[in-house]
Amino acid sequence: MAKRSIRDLLRAPAGFTTLDELDPAATPGAREKARAIADLPELLRELSSQQEQLWAEHTRSLLLVLQGMDTSGKDGTIRHVIGGLNPAGTKIVAFKQPTAVELRHDFLWRIRRGLPEPGQTGIFNRSHYEDVLVVRVHRLVPRPVWAARFARINAFEQELGAGGITVVKVLLHISKREQRERLLARLDDPTKRWKFRPGDLEERKRWPAYLRAYDDVVRRCSTPAAPWYVVPADRKWYRNWAVSQLLLETLREMDPHYPQPSFDPAIYRAKLAAERD
């Protein structure tokens, strides 16, 4: 039997009902921590090579969408997985609370402005899904408003695919217990206390509401054009390894290549070689 890809293992299953059924401490496809950690540098080297060819090709783009509860590791994923890529071919956008200008536009307006250009690898730290998550949990807009956005998001992501942007959507799935441990670690470490906000505890009280909202996101917006990958995120080593694998498998399928020059390199090499110092 052929080995299943990480994309197959982590893609939201058909008939998905709730994240409660998926173990946030699981390690699909990686049996040993030591082996996964040892393999990561080579994965990142190949990922960097593939990304450089995508940048040189300059026709298509890759977009990584990162979503997850607070402390699920969005920043850590960017630091450990994306940090080794060519900065010139990378575009990282963090979507926080909308500004007054952004609120005067359609919810996808600021998302479109953040899309990667041809050749770029884009990373969304949070995304358009905040407009069916936070606004729902905090009741910032009426239900008919946010509920209508699911269909618009699906159409938008299909449009991206048709326009040459391959979308990889990753939901970093963390347990409430692990989140508590990470918040405690922030409070105990003077170098990390700046990451803690008193409002984090209020958000924890909304955990069930966020879980229901994420369940709907996965059920309603995991499509053939842009499936959701649910990455168990309680184990940081696995999170980094799995996201690296997801991106690498996607880039291998995209199969970017360095473009061939429209001139004969030998002619210009001969000219340079004939120059006198």
Side-chain angles (χ1 to χ4, degrees):
M1 181 182 296
K3 183 179 178 181
R4 295 179 67 190
S5 70
I6 298 303
R7 289 192 297 174
D8 287 339
L9 290 170
L10 298 180
R11 185 180 291 111
F16 171 88
T17 55
T18 177
L19 290 170
D20 276 336
E21 296 178 352
L22 302 177
D23 182 3
T27 59
R31 295 182 179 178
E32 299 178 6
K33 175 181 178 180
R35 178 65 179 271
I37 292 175
D39 287 347
L40 188 58
E42 182 58 35
L43 287 177
L44 296 179
R45 278 192 289 272
E46 184 180 351
L47 184 60
S48 177
S49 175
Q50 293 277 359
Q51 183 246 358
E52 182 176 283
Q53 291 178 75
L54 182 70
W55 174 239
E57 189 184 79
H58 226 69
T59 56
R60 299 170 292 165
S61 305
L62 177 65
L63 174 61
L64 171 64
V65 174
L66 290 172
Q67 285 286 160
M69 301 281 200
D70 290 340
T71 76
S72 60
K74 296 179 288 294
D75 291 337
T77 300
I78 292 171
R79 183 167 60 254
H80 292 287
V81 177
I82 307 302
L85 300 185
N86 179 1
T90 307
K91 182 176 183 178
I92 302 174
V93 183
F95 291 99
K96 301 184 182 297
Q97 183 175 343
T99 65
V101 172
E102 290 169 342
L103 286 171
R104 290 200 293 267
H105 293 80
D106 176 82
F107 80 100
L108 289 173
W109 180 77
R110 66 174 183 160
I111 306 301
R112 292 184 183 277
R113 289 165 59 88
L115 290 172
E117 299 293 330
Q120 285 185 325
T121 298
I123 300 93
F124 281 0
N125 185 340
R126 301 187 188 273
S127 67
H128 40 298
Y129 284 98
E130 294 297 288
D131 288 283
V132 289
L133 290 165
V134 174
V135 299
R136 170 181 175 173
V137 172
H138 286 265
R139 300 181 179 180
L140 300 178
V141 299
R143 180 185 181 91
V145 173
W146 61 255
R149 290 174 176 168
F150 289 114
R152 294 193 57 201
I153 287 172
N154 288 340
F156 169 64
E157 292 175 350
Q158 186 169 11
E159 173 193 329
L160 295 184
I165 300 178
T166 298
V167 182
V168 178
K169 299 187 305 192
V170 170
L171 172 53
L172 299 175
H173 180 32
I174 189 175
S175 66
K176 192 175 183 182
R177 176 180 295 181
E178 179 62 20
Q179 185 193 67
R180 176 179 177 273
E181 294 304 312
R182 292 183 186 182
L183 289 173
L184 286 171
R186 287 181 180 180
L187 289 170
D188 291 341
D189 186 345
T191 68
K192 294 183 178 179
R193 286 177 188 155
W194 64 273
K195 294 183 177 182
F196 183 87
R197 297 174 295 113
D200 290 340
L201 299 187
E202 290 301 313
E203 288 295 89
R204 270 179 67 79
K205 295 177 182 178
R206 298 184 174 95
W207 187 278
Y210 272 110
L211 188 63
R212 290 193 298 271
Y214 270 109
D215 287 345
D216 272 352
V217 160
V218 176
R219 276 196 298 265
R220 302 181 65 174
C221 294
S222 192
T223 65
W228 271 107
Y229 299 101
V230 181
V231 174
D234 273 11
R235 305 176 193 271
K236 295 178 182 180
W237 66 266
Y238 179 78
R239 175 201 71 201
N240 296 337
W241 179 85
V243 175
S244 300
Q245 287 278 17
L246 286 171
L247 291 176
L248 186 54
E249 288 178 7
T250 302
L251 280 165
R252 285 171 176 168
E253 184 175 82
M254 292 174 71
D255 194 25
H257 287 85
Y258 291 114
Q260 295 300 311
S262 58
F263 54 86
D264 184 350
I267 294 176
Y268 292 92
R269 189 186 187 288
K271 290 181 177 182
L272 284 169
E275 285 184 0
R276 295 185 178 182
D277 295 335

